[in-house]
């Protein structure tokens, strides 16, 4: 049995404070961020979530901005920790919600990045030619798929992109995506289904039908 | 190739290099933890004490429903509020059948004509909370030993928190916290006589001073005086719409990071009311916005620690529900109550147990402290 600190249950304070070192990992997905041991709780939070969070952010806004957004995500979480209710949702959805809100302040950067990716992969596919070598053909197909996907993602609505990438890149469950975006889980599922179907149709198109729009 | 696989593969390939880069996060970690290391007291500022039932402290000044800061100069003449007849007394059984939406809308109607009591230069706004809250001690199962069980106990402890805010809110504020009386035993996995001792934390009692309510100036992030998202600042209220539907949407947006759940929105709405600074011209629309939240209902009549009677309104919750207490005769927010739900956070607390009850009063006084 591992003793944890005394719990100060004021108002909406967490029912079970995040365990201190060595104990209570079963509750670490819903830590109490408001305890006196805030540095320890945030150290644990950072060590658990910062790396995958950086990957998610780097995928969306690029590596250059990712570190700043990771820092800003955790500093925002620290600043707003009294608004996190561990009885309502796991911490991951809440953290990614903060991060995704920050991404929205970089939306032009994200879209520029996606369009640049589309152009780059289109160029590579063009340069690879259309030879009969199977390896070359597979490589060209892959380049075209990435080109079409990047182009399509740039044209998606913000929330559709959020739903898709929180699920695919961040690995969040629909309930966590719902918590992150503030929409019902059923809406997450239906949007995810819809956007995936649309993207699948785009990927199935003939490469000649793919249009990469110019950067606005 | 299967479309599903094709899409997932393409998603996996897209920006893969950036997403999987093994960049060091050492500096970022140090930044975050440095901020965390100096920020502990700030968390308590809003996760404040639920104030003390037993200490029905006398409040010398007249209780004002809401008070707003006014600029230096001659005090404006308050507009008399509408005279409202008290409704017929109702029984506990009756009130639970009331529509919470109707109660909130009625409270809005009552408060719509209210005006803020002006604070003259040299006067102070005094926000007083007192009541009881739970304090728990517990152990969790050890890692790798799932057979071990959670043990612990919970006390109901009285406390008081007083804040004095000068007319010019950018000047020095005063906050006092005190533990009131002896805690009482609510339950535990062990007999009370065998419970390990539990002592108040260093923020349970004491006195703090700070300009603009910044009682912990070394904390990070730095408290920005007049920040639009700080409900301790008049700027927060000035920036809110005076329209119930817009406020409802604002609650949805503001709690989006927590899923905009009805309970999350209601929780936030009560938390802001409890800060004691909401101006009169906003309160009616705030109540109407709360009335739009799905699931609100009346849970009964409650007598607050300072002896006022009101209707408790909240939403059903599995673990613990939060209720705001409204005085139905004048629409005043007079406190809040927390009640254990069917599946309480602490298994040893019986469902339905009142886990906190707090009075909130806002007055204008001539002396700080």
């Amino acid at each position: 049995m591992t003793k944890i600190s005394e719990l100060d249950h004021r108002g909406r304070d967490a029912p079970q404070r995040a365990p201190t070192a060595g104990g209570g990992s079963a509750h670490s997905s819903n830590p109490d961020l408001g305890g006196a041991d805030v540095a320890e709780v945030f150290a644990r939070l950072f060590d658990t979530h910062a790396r995958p969070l950086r990957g998610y952010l780097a995928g969306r806004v690029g590596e250059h901005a990712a570190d700043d957004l990771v820092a800003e995500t955790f500093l925002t979480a620290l600043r707003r920790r009294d608004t996190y209710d561990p009885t309502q949702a796991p911490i991951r959805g809440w953290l990614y919600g903060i991060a995704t809100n920050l991404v929205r302040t970089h939306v032009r950067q994200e879209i520029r990045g996606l369009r640049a990716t589309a152009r780059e992969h289109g160029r590579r596919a063009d340069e690879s030619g259309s030879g009969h070598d199977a390896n070359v053909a597979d490589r060209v197909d892959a380049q075209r798929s990435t080109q079409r996907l990047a182009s399509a993602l740039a044209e998606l609505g913000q929330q559709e992109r959020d739903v898709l990438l929180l699920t695919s890149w961040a690995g969040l469950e629909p309930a966590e995506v719902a918590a992150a975006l503030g929409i019902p889980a059923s809406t997450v599922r239906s949007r995810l289904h819809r956007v995936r179907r649309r993207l699948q149709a785009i990927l199935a198109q003939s490469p000649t039908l793919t249009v990469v729009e110019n950067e606005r | 190739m299967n479309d599903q696989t094709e899409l997932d593969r393409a998603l996996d390939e897209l920006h893969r290099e950036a997403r999987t880069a093994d960049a060091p996060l050492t500096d970022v970690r140090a930044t975050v933890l440095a901020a965390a290391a100096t920020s502990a007291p700030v968390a308590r500022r809003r996760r404040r004490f639920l104030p003390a039932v037993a200490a029905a402290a006398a409040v010398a000044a007249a209780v004002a429903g809401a008070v707003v800061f006014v600029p230096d100069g001659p005090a404006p003449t308050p507009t008399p509020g509408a005279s409202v007849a008290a409704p017929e007394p109702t029984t506990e059984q009756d009130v639970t059948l009331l529509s919470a939406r109707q109660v909130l809308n009625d409270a809005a109607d009552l408060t719509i004509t209210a005006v803020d009591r002006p604070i003259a230069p040299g006067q102070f706004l005094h926000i007083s909370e007192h009541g009881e809250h739970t304090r728990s001690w517990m152990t969790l199962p050890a890692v790798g030993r799932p057979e071990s069980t959670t043990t612990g106990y919970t006390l109901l402890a009285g406390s008081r928190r007083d804040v004095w805010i000068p007319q010019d809110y950018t000047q020095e504020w005063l906050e006092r916290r005190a533990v009131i009386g002896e805690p009482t035993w609510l339950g535990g996995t062990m007999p009370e006589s065998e419970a390990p001792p539990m002592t108040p934390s260093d923020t349970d009692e004491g006195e703090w001073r700070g300009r603009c309510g910044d009682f912990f100036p070394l904390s990070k992030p730095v408290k920005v005086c007049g920040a639009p998202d700080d409900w301790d600042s008049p700027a927060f209220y000035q920036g809110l719409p005076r329209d119930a539907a817009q406020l409802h949407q604002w609650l949805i947006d503001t709690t989006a990071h927590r899923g905009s759940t009805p309970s999350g929105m209601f929780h936030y709405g009560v938390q802001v009311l409890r800060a004691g600074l909401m101006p009169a011209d906003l309160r009616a629309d705030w109540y109407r916005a709360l009335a739009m939240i799905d699931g609100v209902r009346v849970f009964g009549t409650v007598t607050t620690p300072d002896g006022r009677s009101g209707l408790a309104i909240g939403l059903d919750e599995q673990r613990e529900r939060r209720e705001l207490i409204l005085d139905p005769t004048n629409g005043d927010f007079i406190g809040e109550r927390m009640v254990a739900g069917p599946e309480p956070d602490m298994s040893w607390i019986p469902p339905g147990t009142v886990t906190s009850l707090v009075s909130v009063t806002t007055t204008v006084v001539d002396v700080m402290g």
Side-chain angles (χ1 to χ4, degrees), chain B residues 98-138:
Chain B
L98 293 173
S99 156
R101 291 185 176 181
Q102 191 61 51
V103 170
L104 283 162
N105 285 327
D106 287 348
D109 290 341
L110 292 173
T111 198
I112 194 77
T113 55
V115 294
D116 295 315
R117 182 175 173 180
I119 308 172
Q123 289 190 311
F124 302 87
L125 187 63
H126 176 204
I127 300 168
S128 177
E129 301 177 355
H130 69 281
E132 289 185 328
H133 61 83
T134 55
R135 288 177 61 86
S136 296
W137 180 99
M138 68 182 299

Side-chain angles (χ1 to χ4, degrees), chain B residues 39-309:
Chain B
S39 65
V42 170
R44 291 293 181 215
R45 206 164 57 80
R46 285 188 177 168
R47 292 172 152 261
R48 55 188 52 151
F49 300 82
L50 290 180
V53 171
V59 178
V63 173
V67 186
V68 72
F69 297 90
V70 294
D72 288 337
T77 304
T79 305
S83 174
V84 180
E88 291 296 316
T90 53
T91 65
E92 179 77 10
Q93 190 175 19
D94 288 334
V95 299
T96 61
L97 299 176
L98 293 173
S99 156
R101 291 185 176 181
Q102 191 61 51
V103 170
L104 283 162
N105 285 327
D106 287 348
D109 290 341
L110 292 173
T111 198
I112 194 77
T113 55
V115 294
D116 295 315
R117 182 175 173 180
I119 308 172
Q123 289 190 311
F124 302 87
L125 187 63
H126 176 204
I127 300 168
S128 177
E129 301 177 355
H130 69 281
E132 289 185 328
H133 61 83
T134 55
R135 288 177 61 86
S136 296
W137 180 99
M138 68 182 299
T139 63
L140 296 176
V143 174
R145 292 185 54 202
E147 77 283 3
S148 58
T149 57
T150 298
T151 61
Y153 69 93
T154 299
L155 303 175
L156 196 60
S159 69
R160 180 182 179 93
R161 174 180 178 269
D162 291 282
V163 177
W164 288 267
I165 307 172
Q167 187 266 345
D168 176 358
Y169 76 99
T170 63
Q171 299 302 307
E172 184 178 79
W173 298 25
L174 169 65
E175 175 173 341
R176 282 191 188 137
R177 298 174 181 178
V179 173
I180 305 294
E182 289 298 315
T184 55
W185 180 262
L186 271 191
T189 58
M190 71 282 283
E192 183 176 0
S193 59
E194 296 175 14
M198 186 159 43
T199 55
S201 73
D202 58 0
T203 54
D204 283 353
E205 296 180 287
E207 180 175 308
W208 295 266
R209 289 175 185 268
R211 293 169 72 90
C212 210
D214 189 4
F215 298 116
F216 307 101
L218 298 180
S219 299
K220 302 291 183 184
V222 174
K223 178 178 170 64
V224 178
C225 196
D229 62 347
D230 180 3
W231 58 59
D232 284 342
S233 158
F236 172 81
Y237 302 94
Q238 288 163 5
L240 292 175
R242 266 54 176 175
D243 176 86
Q246 289 182 38
L247 281 172
H248 182 254
Q249 184 59 48
W250 182 88
L251 282 171
I252 292 172
D253 296 342
T254 302
T255 58
H257 59 289
R258 288 170 54 191
S260 300
T261 59
S263 61
M265 293 167 61
F266 189 78
H267 167 79
Y268 192 88
V270 176
Q271 194 75 7
V272 174
L273 277 173
R274 186 170 158 177
L277 290 171
M278 183 172 290
D281 71 318
L282 176 62
R283 200 160 35 133
D285 286 326
W286 194 263
Y287 286 162
R288 294 189 205 284
L290 293 181
M292 294 177 186
I293 297 174
D294 286 339
V296 289
R297 71 179 182 92
V298 177
F299 283 92
T301 54
V302 176
T303 301
T304 61
D306 58 0
R308 288 177 288 172
S309 180

Side-chain angles (χ1 to χ4, degrees), chain B residues 299-335:
Chain B
F299 283 92
T301 54
V302 176
T303 301
T304 61
D306 58 0
R308 288 177 288 172
S309 180
L311 294 174
I313 298 169
L315 289 84
D316 281 312
E317 294 280 353
Q318 279 301 103
R319 293 186 169 185
E320 187 175 58
R321 72 169 182 265
R322 183 177 196 172
E323 303 166 345
L324 67 82
I325 306 171
L326 287 181
D327 182 340
T329 65
N330 56 20
D332 279 354
F333 170 76
I334 58 175

